[in-house]
């Protein structure tokens, strides 16, 4: 890494690594040689020599792992030298010695203290799946050869962005010979090494006597790396690496089920076939016939099926589009061959649920003309696995093609097989069809949803949990249509429970579906989708599903995901009308009978105990609406979102009624849940920056055109700031508040300046806020006054707790201005920032104790402006050149910079200037206040503009004031540290870490308040 980051040190770093390998080679040649065939036992070797071999093995493992990752450090000639050195070191005799040494360590007596630590580490390596031994070392070596060969066909930048297989296969114009000049000698060494390794793996060598499953897995990993190396050499130069040799290896491996059971090796084999098919089109046809046979007959599992399907899809596309259709029909015919099995599902409704079947069959009217693939199956388990692989292969081919027509064909083909083979196959089809829905058209998605709705109903009626668990991706409409608690009094409880069970079974796939969709655009496009979301939640509540019910607790995670992606349960198109949707929505009236009404009211009263009298006076639809709103917003608050409670107060039915009282109580409950989770801080969403964004949205709600929305937003903001004051010590929230003050002032000023040019929408990119205001200017003025009073109370609350943090942010806000409003412009936010910056915190006992003389107002505006001016000085200092290390004297205090730099050495850096000052401070040499301030300010200016992690400068910026440790040095330091944090928040963790470390140093040094002198004075008192 040093050699990569500092090119001037490349030769020195290379020489050190070269000398390291030379020393390893000398030690290996001078060490003992152990053969299993000879009478010499490894246990007869001295313990020191055995531990030396073990130490060298672990050392080489570390070197190989690091070198394979950073191999671009070496030039082509250096790589060739590196590989040859490793070849000389990793001989077969040395590998046998390694196996013998670690075998003796594993079987050594635990009483041997010198072996104890090695026994512990060998157990840890084995537990991690990497048993120490020759095979692990060989695996690291072959991994390095893979990296070496990959750099011969692509650059490091390309390899950092793409997998070598994707780069080779997906790039149509990819020409490896043009990527980088490569050495034929290096390619020959790599290909010869790979060929020799394959010979050893096939014939068996002494160190390949495998004793465990993990060692066998390592052997498969070595083989995968070996094939990868040879493949890269073939791509680079076919004359050096023979393609026929590679193809024979691939064919031998793919026919061995034991080797193909290893997912890494199987993935390597299959992806290599794709590369071979691209480079040698004549091989594509035979590969397209062998891969389906492999998928069906090999008994593979897991991701190997998906990789095989993608490989087959790629090869079929290379042949022709018709080949893809033929391949799909060939695999589909295998499912048809098993149609004489038990029919476990009714298929009468499938044609209606698959609207596109006839259309797709007409469009793709030809079937496979090739021979059918035979299935030799000896048990039901094997049958289910084979058919499952076929289904996954069909889906994998369709999704890889990224063609809606192919997707539609695959879906119709699969759904036609439902009920014709067996339950296990039906489950595979139902599950995998959900994957197709993500890449298919709308018509296919609707057909699939109808089918899932019917299957879920049949599964619930029959009590078939297996079938219910397989249902894939139903939609909101399915939930809305499920169940109907009748208005008659004799509703059977069993029917209600059955409907609730049907609804809850639809939630897991629905949660997946809404989480992968682009919800914002999806909801904006269709108002009917928003209506379905609302009605789905209403129907959920009607059937007794809540956070405390059994089904609700069982599916709490799915309910939470659905709530996160759901819009508020108010109809936005009716907010301007007198009649609410609550009176018109028929879903809210489901189950409206006296017993059910009483039950629903009891549930709501148990939640909102303070609103019992209000709830008893509400109608049934309003009770269901409030219960649904509570359920959705509590789940959303539990997930870290609390601002969606505000749109509910737009509903006209809440205007000064019992509904409004209940809704206010729900808002309080939502804030309590949100803040309780936030204060526990288990997740990143509970951190202060995320809460600040929520607080900024609440501030925006304080400027809403509806008065009751303003009141609720202000109350919520009060709760957030009271319980988590740090949320206002963030740019997102504080800047939003200041910008809203300026916006509201401007909106009121427009009444005087633009009386006939009415403007309702105001936006601030700086505060990331946007508001739509009323045309009533008196309401605007009252809103401004209320916001100003609240803002003053909020900011003063936080200033009393953290004055330096808040005032630092206020200075940052004042530093950023818009030139368009620089002259003759009044910005209330900037005036308010200056006013707050001048206040004396209640916690400042020193300034608070000053007596007032006359009518003069005592404040800290002079200190605030002085710090502001200081920050402006280094904030707008001359920008640094791109290469900071090559420009001299940036931190020097000389007035004539050009003259001084001409007499300075070009090797001096900014860090060295700080280091000299730090050295003076450590030596207790006198450092003037002016010199300290000027150098540290320039260092702060560098950090304010730096994108990279300037560790050295940060360390000196914190360390120097602590080393001097005077009152003035610490004051200068605090001012600069807070300034850098506010200007460049990415530096905050590093600065806080350094401050904590230096503070701990002063404690150990008994400096300041920890001085022994103070302890002696205290004792004497």
């Amino acid at each position: 890494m040093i050699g990569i980051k500092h090119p001037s040190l490349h030769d020195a770093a290379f020489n050190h690594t070269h000398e390291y390998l030379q020393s390893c080679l000398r030690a290996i040649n001078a060490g003992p040689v152990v053969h299993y065939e000879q009478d010499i036992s490894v246990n007869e070797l001295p313990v020191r020599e055995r531990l030396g071999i073990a130490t060298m093995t672990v050392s080489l493992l570390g070197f190989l792992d690091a070198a394979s990752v950073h191999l671009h450090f070496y030039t082509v000639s250096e790589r060739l030298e590196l590989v040859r050195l490793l070849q000389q070191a990793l001989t077969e005799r040395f590998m046998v010695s390694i196996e013998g040494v670690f075998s003796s360590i594993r079987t050594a007596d635990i009483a041997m203290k010198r072996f104890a630590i090695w026994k512990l580490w060998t157990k840890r390596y084995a537990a991690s799946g990497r048993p120490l031994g020759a095979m692990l070392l060989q695996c690291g070596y072959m991994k390095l050869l893979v990296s070496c060969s990959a750099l011969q066909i692509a650059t490091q930048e390309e390899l950092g962005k793409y997998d070598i297989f994707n780069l080779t296969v997906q790039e149509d114009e990819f020409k490896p010979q043009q990527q980088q000049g490569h050495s034929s000698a290096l390619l020959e060494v790599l290909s010869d090494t790979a060929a020799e390794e394959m010979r050893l793996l096939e014939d068996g060598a002494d160190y390949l006597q495998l004793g465990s499953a993990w060692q066998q897995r390592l052997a498969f990993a070595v083989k995968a790396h070996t094939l990868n190396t040879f493949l890269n050499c073939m791509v680079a130069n076919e004359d050096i690496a023979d393609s026929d040799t590679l193809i024979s290896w691939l064919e031998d491996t793919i026919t061995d089920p034991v080797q193909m059971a290893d997912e890494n090796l199987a993935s390597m084999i299959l992806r290599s076939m794709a590369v071979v098919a691209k480079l040698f089109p004549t091989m594509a046809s035979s590969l397209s016939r062998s891969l389906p046979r492999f998928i069906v007959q090999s008994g593979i599992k897991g991701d190997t099926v998906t990789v095989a399907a993608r490989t087959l899809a790629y090869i079929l596309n290379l042949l022709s589009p018709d080949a893809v259709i033929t391949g799909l029909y060939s695999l589909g015919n295998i499912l048809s061959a098993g149609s004489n099995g038990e029919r476990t599902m009714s298929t009468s409704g499938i044609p209606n649920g698959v609207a596109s079947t006839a259309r797709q069959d007409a469009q793709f009217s030809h079937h496979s003309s090739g021979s059918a693939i035979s299935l030799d199956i000896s048990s039901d388990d094997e049958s289910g696995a084979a058919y499952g692989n076929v289904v996954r292969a069909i889906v994998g081919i369709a999704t890889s093609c990224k063609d809606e027509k192919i997707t539609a064909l695959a879906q119709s083909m699969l759904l036609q097989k439902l009920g014709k083979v067996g339950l296990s196959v039906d489950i595979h089809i139902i599950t995998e069809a959900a994957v197709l829905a993500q890449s298919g058209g709308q018509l296919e998605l609707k057909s699939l949803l109808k089918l899932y709705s019917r299957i879920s109903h049949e599964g619930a009626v029959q009590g078939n949990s297996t079938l219910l668990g397989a249902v894939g991706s139903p939609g909101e409409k399915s939930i809305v249509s499920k169940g109907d608690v009748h208005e008659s009094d004799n509703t059977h409880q069993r029917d209600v429970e059955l409907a609730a069970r049907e609804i809850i079974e639809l939630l897991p796939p629905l949660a997946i579906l809404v989480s992968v969709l682009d919800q914002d655009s999806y909801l904006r496009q269709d108002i009917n989708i928003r209506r379905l979301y609302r009605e789905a939640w209403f129907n959920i509540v009607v059937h007794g599903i809540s956070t405390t019910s059994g089904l609700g607790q069982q599916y709490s995670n799915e309910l939470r995901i659905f709530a996160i992606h759901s819009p508020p349960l108010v109809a936005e198109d009716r907010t301007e009308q007198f009649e609410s949707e609550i009176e018109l929505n028929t879903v809210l009236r489901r189950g409206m009978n006296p017993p059910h009404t009483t039950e629903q009211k009891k549930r709501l009263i148990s939640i909102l105990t303070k609103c019992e009298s209000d709830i008893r006076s509400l109608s049934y639809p309003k009770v269901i609406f409030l219960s649904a709103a509570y359920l959705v917003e509590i789940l959303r608050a539990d997930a870290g979102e609390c601002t969606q409670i505000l749109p509910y107060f737009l509903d006209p039915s809440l205007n000064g009624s019992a509904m409004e009282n209940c809704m206010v109580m729900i808002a309080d409950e939502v804030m309590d849940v949100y803040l309780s989770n936030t204060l526990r801080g288990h997740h990143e969403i509970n951190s202060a920056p995320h809460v600040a964004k929520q607080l900024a949205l609440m501030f925006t709600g304080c400027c809403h055109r509806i008065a009751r929305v303003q009141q609720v937003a202000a109350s919520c903001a009060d709760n957030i700031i009271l319980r988590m004051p740090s949320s206002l010590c963030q740019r997102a929230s504080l800047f939003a508040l200041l910008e809203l003050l300026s916006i509201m002032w401007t909106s009121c000023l427009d009444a005087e300046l633009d009386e006939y040019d009415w403007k309702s929408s105001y936006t601030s990119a700086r505060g990331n806020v946007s508001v739509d205001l009323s045309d009533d200017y008196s309401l605007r003025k009252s809103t401004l006054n209320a916001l100003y009073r609240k803002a003053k109370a909020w900011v003063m609350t936080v200033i009393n707790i953290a004055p330096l943090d808040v005032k630092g942010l206020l200075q940052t806000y004042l530093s950023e201005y818009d030139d368009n409003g620089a002259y003759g412009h009044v910005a209330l936010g900037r005036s308010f920032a200056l006013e707050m910056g001048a206040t004396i915190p209640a916690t400042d006992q020193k300034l608070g104790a000053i007596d007032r003389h006359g009518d003069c107002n005592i404040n800290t505006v002079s200190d605030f402006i002085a710090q502001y001016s200081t920050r402006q000085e280094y904030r707008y200092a001359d920008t640094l050149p791109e290469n900071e290390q090559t420009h001299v004297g940036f931190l020097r205090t000389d007035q004539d910079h050009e003259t001084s730099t001409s007499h300075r050495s070009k090797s001096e850096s900014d860090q060295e200037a700080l280091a000299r000052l730090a050295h003076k401070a450590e030596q207790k040499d006198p450092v003037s206040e002016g010199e300290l301030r000027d150098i540290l300010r320039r260092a702060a200016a560098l950090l304010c503009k730096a994108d990279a992690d300037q560790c050295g400068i940060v360390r000196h910026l914190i360390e120097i004031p602590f080393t001097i440790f005077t009152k003035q040095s610490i004051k200068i330091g605090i001012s600069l540290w807070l300034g850098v944090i506010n200007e460049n928040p990415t530096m905050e963790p590093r600065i806080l870490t350094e401050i904590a470390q230096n503070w701990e140093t002063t404690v150990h040094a008994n400096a300041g308040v920890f001085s022994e002198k103070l302890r002696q004075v205290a004792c004497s008192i």
Side-chain angles (χ1 to χ4, degrees):
M1 288 296 293
I2 295 175
I4 294 173
K5 290 187 175 181
H6 304 279
S8 60
L9 300 177
H10 174 275
D11 293 341
F14 172 73
N15 291 333
H16 281 292
T17 59
H18 186 269
E19 178 57 31
Y20 162 76
L21 291 177
Q22 289 283 5
S23 63
C24 289
L25 181 60
R26 289 193 294 269
I28 291 171
N29 292 332
V33 178
V34 179
H35 285 286
Y36 286 131
E37 296 86 348
Q38 296 178 355
D39 295 332
I40 303 174
S41 172
V42 71
N43 293 321
E44 297 177 5
L45 293 176
V47 174
R48 181 177 180 180
E49 292 186 2
R50 279 185 276 171
L51 294 182
I53 294 175
T55 303
M56 187 184 305
T57 302
V58 175
S59 176
L60 284 172
L61 276 175
F63 172 79
L64 291 173
D65 286 342
S68 61
V69 175
H70 305 291
L71 198 64
H72 56 286
F73 161 75
Y74 297 95
T75 63
V76 175
S77 59
E78 290 170 350
R79 289 177 213 150
L80 177 59
E81 188 173 355
L82 172 67
V83 171
R84 285 176 172 168
L85 271 176
L86 290 170
Q87 272 185 331
Q88 297 174 29
L90 305 181
T91 61
E92 183 176 345
R93 294 188 301 171
F94 180 55
M95 293 297 191
V96 172
S97 300
I98 292 174
E99 280 298 318
V101 166
F102 282 104
S103 176
S104 67
I105 290 175
R106 284 189 288 267
T107 58
D109 188 355
I110 196 171
M112 299 180 65
K113 295 183 179 180
R114 299 186 65 179
F115 280 165
I117 187 65
W118 279 101
K119 287 179 69 70
L120 174 64
W121 281 107
T122 53
K123 289 181 180 179
R124 290 186 178 180
Y125 267 83
S128 65
R130 303 174 68 237
L132 283 171
M135 190 58 68
L136 183 60
L137 187 61
Q138 190 70 17
C139 186
Y141 175 53
M142 295 309 301
K143 183 179 177 182
L144 182 138
L145 297 190
V146 171
S147 300
C148 192
S149 60
L151 286 172
Q152 295 304 111
I153 58 177
T155 63
Q156 177 62 27
E157 291 74 16
E158 291 171 328
L159 293 175
K161 296 178 181 179
Y162 308 102
D163 181 80
I164 186 63
F165 288 97
N166 294 334
L167 187 66
T168 307
V169 172
Q170 294 180 0
E171 295 292 334
D172 294 334
E173 301 300 327
F174 178 75
K175 295 181 180 179
Q177 289 83 359
Q178 298 179 2
Q179 298 295 326
Q180 179 181 1
H182 56 269
S183 168
S184 297
L186 178 58
L187 288 174
E188 289 178 358
V189 171
L190 294 175
S191 61
D192 291 343
T193 304
E196 176 63 18
E197 186 63 30
M198 282 297 296
R199 184 189 66 79
L200 293 173
L201 288 168
E202 291 174 353
D203 298 340
D206 289 337
Y207 59 88
L208 288 179
Q209 297 178 4
L210 304 176
S212 68
W214 286 114
Q215 289 174 323
Q216 189 175 24
R217 182 170 296 183
L218 276 177
F220 292 152
V222 172
K223 187 167 187 177
H225 292 326
T226 303
L227 290 170
N228 197 349
T229 301
F230 197 86
L231 176 68
N232 291 341
C233 294
M234 186 194 71
V235 173
N237 190 338
E238 187 188 349
D239 295 334
I240 292 178
D242 184 31
S243 60
D244 293 335
T245 302
L246 176 63
I247 293 171
S248 66
W249 290 341
L250 297 178
E251 291 176 348
D252 292 341
T253 306
I254 200 172
T255 56
D256 186 351
V258 176
Q259 296 188 59
M260 294 303 290
D262 184 84
E263 289 190 356
N264 292 329
L265 179 58
S267 176
M268 173 65 212
I269 295 295
L270 294 169
R271 293 194 295 175
S272 298
M273 287 183 169
V275 177
V276 170
K278 180 182 179 181
L279 297 180
F280 307 100
T282 56
M283 293 294 301
S285 179
S286 61
L287 291 174
S288 68
R289 292 190 298 271
S290 61
L291 276 175
R293 199 168 286 110
F294 166 74
I295 293 171
V296 175
Q297 298 176 346
S298 62
I300 54 176
K301 299 178 181 179
D303 293 337
T304 305
V305 183
T306 304
V307 177
R310 291 175 180 172
T311 303
L312 179 57
Y314 176 78
I315 295 174
L316 292 174
N317 273 314
L318 289 177
L319 295 173
S320 69
D322 290 341
V324 178
I325 301 171
T326 302
L328 287 175
Y329 274 116
S330 298
L331 292 171
N333 289 338
I334 298 173
L335 297 178
S336 300
S339 60
N340 294 327
E342 179 188 358
R343 297 179 180 235
T344 58
M345 287 181 50
S346 171
T347 59
S348 58
I350 293 179
N352 293 331
V354 188
S356 61
T357 299
R359 173 173 60 88
Q360 294 302 330
D361 285 344
Q363 184 173 359
F364 304 107
S365 58
H366 64 283
H367 290 256
S368 172
S369 59
S371 60
I373 302 173
S374 60
L375 263 176
D376 185 12
I377 297 171
S378 59
S379 66
D380 292 340
D381 292 340
E382 292 183 6
S383 172
Y387 287 131
N389 287 350
V390 172
V391 174
R392 290 188 64 182
I394 292 174
V395 173
I397 292 172
T399 54
S400 298
C401 291
K402 298 179 181 179
D403 187 334
E404 286 191 6
K405 295 179 181 179
I406 297 296
T407 301
L409 173 64
Q411 178 176 310
S412 65
M413 181 188 301
L414 288 176
L415 298 186
Q416 289 178 37
K417 310 300 180 184
L418 278 173
K420 295 183 178 180
V421 182
L423 179 60
S424 61
V425 178
D426 293 341
I427 292 173
H428 282 298
I429 293 175
I430 293 170
T431 306
E432 294 298 328
V435 180
L436 288 175
Q438 300 179 21
S439 57
Q442 293 184 359
L443 182 61
E444 285 71 30
L445 177 60
K446 291 180 180 179
S447 302
L448 194 61
L449 295 180
K450 291 179 181 179
L451 176 66
Y452 284 167
S453 177
R454 182 181 61 77
I455 293 175
S456 63
H457 175 74
E458 291 181 1
V461 171
Q462 299 171 5
N464 191 333
S465 59
T466 304
L467 197 58
L468 283 171
V471 176
S473 299
E476 300 87 356
K477 192 170 183 179
S478 302
I479 289 183
V480 176
S481 64
K482 288 300 176 188
D484 189 0
V485 182
H486 302 287
E487 298 182 8
S488 61
D489 296 348
N490 60 350
T491 302
H492 295 292
Q493 183 65 24
R494 184 178 180 280
D495 295 337
V496 177
E497 293 177 355
L498 177 61
R501 185 68 188 179
E502 290 185 27
I503 291 172
I504 209 69
E505 290 291 350
L506 296 172
L507 277 174
L510 179 60
I512 297 174
L513 182 63
V514 298
S515 62
V516 299
L517 290 174
D518 183 4
Q519 287 297 306
D520 292 336
S521 61
Y522 187 59
L523 296 180
R524 283 195 299 265
Q525 288 175 358
D526 194 345
I527 193 172
N528 292 324
I529 297 297
R530 303 177 71 89
R531 177 180 58 81
L532 286 175
Y533 270 100
R534 296 194 298 272
E535 294 180 352
W537 282 108
F538 296 155
N539 204 31
I540 287 173
V541 171
V542 165
H543 289 84
I545 300 172
S546 65
T547 54
T548 57
S549 66
L551 290 176
Q553 292 177 351
Q554 182 181 355
Y555 291 88
S556 59
N557 188 50
E558 288 78 10
L559 283 169
R560 189 180 299 108
I561 295 174
F562 189 34
I564 292 171
H565 297 92
S566 298
L569 304 184
V570 290
E572 297 180 357
D573 57 334
R574 302 196 64 84
T575 55
E576 303 293 340
Q577 302 182 20
F578 293 102
E579 191 174 28
S580 171
E581 189 200 28
I582 297 176
E583 286 81 15
L584 303 177
N585 195 305
T586 57
V587 178
L588 289 171
R589 298 179 179 274
R590 287 185 177 179
M592 193 172 63
N593 55 59
H596 200 218
T597 301
T598 303
E599 182 184 354
Q600 290 288 356
K601 285 186 177 181
K602 286 182 179 179
R603 290 175 183 170
L604 189 58
I605 290 173
S606 66
I607 297 171
L608 309 176
T609 54
K610 295 181 181 180
C611 300
E612 181 176 356
S613 59
D614 293 323
I615 294 172
R616 293 189 183 279
S617 65
L618 295 176
S619 63
Y620 178 81
K622 292 182 178 180
V623 172
I624 297 300
F625 175 83
L626 289 173
S627 299
Y630 175 85
L631 176 61
V632 174
E633 298 310 321
I634 286 294
L635 290 169
R636 206 196 307 267
D638 190 46
E641 168 66 57
C642 66
T643 60
Q644 294 300 313
I645 193 66
L646 299 182
Y648 289 89
F649 293 89
L650 299 175
D651 195 285
S653 65
L654 269 66
N655 191 9
S657 63
M659 280 276 290
E660 183 176 0
N661 297 335
C662 295
M663 203 68 225
V664 170
M665 184 58 62
I666 290 175
D668 292 340
E669 292 289 332
V670 167
M671 293 307 302
D672 184 63
V673 170
Y674 174 75
L675 291 172
S676 297
N677 289 343
T678 298
L679 293 174
R680 284 194 292 268
H682 293 319
H683 305 288
E684 184 181 358
I685 197 70
N686 304 129
S687 61
H690 288 276
V691 180
K693 295 178 181 178
Q694 297 289 299
L695 183 59
L697 294 175
M698 288 298 182
F699 289 156
T700 304
C702 294
C703 303
H704 200 277
R705 54 188 174 80
I706 305 298
R708 61 177 176 271
V709 176
Q710 296 180 14
Q711 297 168 4
V712 175
S715 176
C716 294
D718 284 336
N719 287 335
I720 295 175
I721 295 173
L722 179 64
R723 297 181 64 177
M724 194 174 181
S726 60
S727 60
L728 192 54
C729 297
Q730 303 287 330
R731 289 175 67 106
S733 54
L734 186 58
F735 282 25
L737 179 60
L738 297 173
E739 285 298 291
L740 286 170
L741 286 170
S742 297
I743 285 176
M744 292 306 303
W745 165 262
T746 303
S747 69
C748 294
L749 190 64
D750 286 346
E752 308 292 337
L753 303 179
D754 298 311
E755 183 177 358
Y756 301 104
D757 187 15
W758 176 68
K759 183 180 179 182
S760 61
S761 297
Y762 293 83
T763 301
S764 169
R766 185 181 176 193
N768 195 24
V769 291
S770 179
V771 292
D772 292 323
L773 303 178
S774 170
D775 57 351
D776 185 353
Y777 283 102
S778 61
L779 178 60
R780 293 189 182 187
K781 292 179 182 178
S782 63
T783 301
L784 172 61
N785 293 331
L787 179 64
Y788 184 83
R789 289 192 299 270
K790 282 288 186 181
K792 196 168 184 179
W794 290 330
V795 176
M796 280 304 303
T797 299
V798 183
I799 283 180
N800 290 334
I801 299 173
L804 295 179
D805 294 90
V806 179
K807 291 188 177 184
L809 281 173
L810 293 174
Q811 291 168 2
T812 301
Y813 178 81
L814 292 172
S815 299
E816 301 173 358
Y817 62 89
D818 186 1
D819 289 338
N820 295 329
Y823 304 99
H825 178 72
V826 176
L828 182 60
R830 296 177 64 82
S831 301
F832 180 80
L834 184 60
E835 178 186 354
M836 291 294 100
T839 58
I840 299 176
T843 53
D844 193 333
Q845 299 178 0
K846 180 175 132 180
L847 294 178
I850 297 177
D851 295 331
R852 294 195 176 190
H853 301 282
D855 297 330
C856 59
N857 183 27
I858 303 299
N859 56 36
T860 60
V861 68
S862 57
D863 183 57
F864 183 78
I865 293 299
Q867 293 181 17
Y868 170 78
S869 302
T870 300
R871 286 184 58 181
Q872 292 297 93
E873 179 179 345
Y874 65 77
R875 176 187 173 91
Y876 295 107
D878 293 337
T879 56
L880 290 176
E882 292 182 2
N883 188 356
E884 300 162 7
Q885 301 297 331
T886 60
H887 293 265
V888 187
F890 174 74
L891 300 176
R892 283 182 54 80
T893 59
D894 304 48
Q895 296 297 322
D896 190 353
H897 183 70
E898 293 182 1
T899 304
S900 64
T901 55
S902 62
H903 297 288
R904 297 296 299 264
S905 169
K906 289 294 183 181
S907 63
E908 179 173 279
S909 65
D910 301 328
Q911 287 90 337
E912 290 173 349
L914 276 170
R916 286 199 312 276
L917 181 62
H919 181 71
K920 289 178 64 177
E922 290 174 359
Q923 298 300 321
K924 304 301 181 182
D925 294 339
V927 178
S928 66
E929 183 179 332
E931 180 185 8
L932 175 68
R933 183 186 298 109
D934 289 340
I935 292 181
L936 292 186
R937 280 179 185 174
R938 290 181 176 271
L942 188 152
L943 295 177
C944 287
K945 301 176 178 64
D947 295 328
D949 190 5
Q950 300 288 345
C951 302
I953 295 178
V954 171
R955 181 170 61 84
H956 288 308
L957 180 65
I958 310 301
E959 186 181 64
I960 290 172
F962 272 101
T963 304
I964 298 175
F965 208 68
T966 62
K967 180 179 179 181
Q968 195 60 31
S969 71
I970 295 298
K971 285 183 65 176
I972 293 173
I974 291 175
S975 175
L976 295 175
W977 302 336
L978 287 174
V980 173
I981 289 173
N982 290 322
E983 295 292 340
N984 192 353
T986 59
M987 292 290 173
E988 182 176 5
R990 173 68 64 180
I991 290 176
L992 293 179
T993 301
E994 291 291 340
I995 290 174
Q997 183 177 351
N998 282 274
W999 172 259
E1000 185 179 353
T1001 301
T1002 63
V1003 175
H1004 293 305
N1006 296 324
V1009 295
F1010 302 99
S1011 174
E1012 292 290 340
K1013 296 180 181 179
L1014 293 179
R1015 187 176 300 176
Q1016 293 172 5
V1017 172
C1019 292
S1020 63
I1021 294 176

